[in-house]
Structures are given as C-alpha cells and as structure tokens.
Amino acid sequence: IYGRTDCCSERIQGARVVVGKMQQVATNIKKPEKPTDPIKIDLSERDDPVYGRRVSVELLNNYLSLAEVEVWVADDDVFGDKEAATPDPELAVGQELDGFYNVAMNKKATQTSEAHGGTADKAVDGWTSQSWRGRDGSCTHTR
C-alpha cells in the first residue's frame, strides 16, 4: 500500500486490510516511519493460506487517500498448472517480478465516496506517485 506523502500521510493510521469478505490480514495500520515507504503486509509466512477474490483497505471516521494498492501473488497461485511463461493476457506489462504478479493492477476498484477527483481506479493504475496533484494525480480520495 502506498499512501500519500505530500500531506495527510497520517490518514492511513487505523486502517485495516481485509481479504475476501471478512478475513482481516492487518489491523490498525500505522503510517510508515518515512512517509515515502510503502506499507508492506507480507502474508507469505502465515501458517494458513489467505484466499479471496477481493482485497479491501478500510478506514472508519476519516478520509482515506491512497496512491497505490498492489497485491503480489506467486505465479503458481495465479497460473496453477499453466506455464508462467505464457501469462494471462489481462496481466499488464510490468506486473511480474521474480515469479510474483501484481494481480490488482488495472482491475476494478471501488470506494465508498469520492472527493476532488480522487477516483478509486487511481489506486490500481500502476503509478505509485505519492503526491496528490489534483485531478490528474495518482491518489484516491474519499469524503
């Protein structure tokens, strides 16, 4: 998760990440020590695997402004028995890194409200710029 750094980086505090309908994988997220650092939630060492068709970043009682949300999945989990050398055509260039795929990029994104042109699709556009820059910027914004 990449938060905003030009201002308001503290807004991410208290957020939680949910996979699927209700499996919380991170709660009470803290802003990173350096605002430009992404918030990394590594699930690879969990005893139980995490499955879900959707990932949500939720925050109650405050605005939420995200620069980017990436969901990296091992190629075996994305492709199953198929060869990773022939990736799914929906996976865009730049989404693969050392056998992992960012399955969130350019997928449908939603948010509960919108303010100042900060549409939900900006969280999965592949642009990790953490500066608002208004309508043409890369950050989401809720009310």
Side-chain angles (χ1 to χ4, degrees):
I1 300 171
Y2 291 84
R4 237 175 114 177
T5 58
D6 57 342
C7 89
C8 321
S9 62
E10 72 283 350
R11 287 184 184 163
I12 193 70
Q13 293 193 144
R16 68 181 184 165
V17 177
V18 177
V19 175
K21 292 187 178 185
M22 55 200 214
Q23 186 174 7
Q24 291 186 45
V25 295
T27 58
N28 199 23
I29 292 174
K30 308 281 188 227
K31 78 175 188 172
E33 205 168 295
K34 293 189 321 190
T36 54
D37 289 344
I39 297 166
K40 295 181 181 181
I41 302 166
D42 184 358
L43 304 179
S44 64
E45 299 298 320
R46 287 177 63 118
D47 291 335
D48 298 325
V50 177
Y51 298 104
R53 296 181 57 89
R54 134 182 54 199
V55 174
S56 302
V57 181
E58 302 174 349
L59 180 65
L60 301 175
N61 304 320
N62 202 352
Y63 303 110
L64 185 58
S65 188
L66 302 172
E68 192 72 16
V69 175
E70 298 175 339
V71 179
W72 292 91
V73 178
D75 63 358
D76 292 346
D77 294 329
V78 174
F79 300 113
D81 293 335
K82 292 189 288 182
E83 287 291 320
T86 57
D88 185 322
E90 291 192 18
L91 291 175
V93 174
Q95 286 188 278
E96 191 263 336
L97 177 67
D98 296 329
F100 286 83
Y101 293 85
N102 176 11
V103 296
M105 189 169 165
N106 295 322
K107 296 297 191 267
K108 182 180 178 189
T110 60
Q111 57 192 36
T112 58
S113 62
E114 180 190 318
H116 313 294
T119 56
D121 61 310
K122 293 181 179 192
V124 291
D125 62 2
W127 189 20
T128 58
S129 172
Q130 296 169 287
S131 180
W132 171 249
R133 296 187 195 143
R135 279 189 93 105
D136 299 322
S138 182
C139 295
T140 67
H141 199 301
T142 62
R143 292 179 195 247

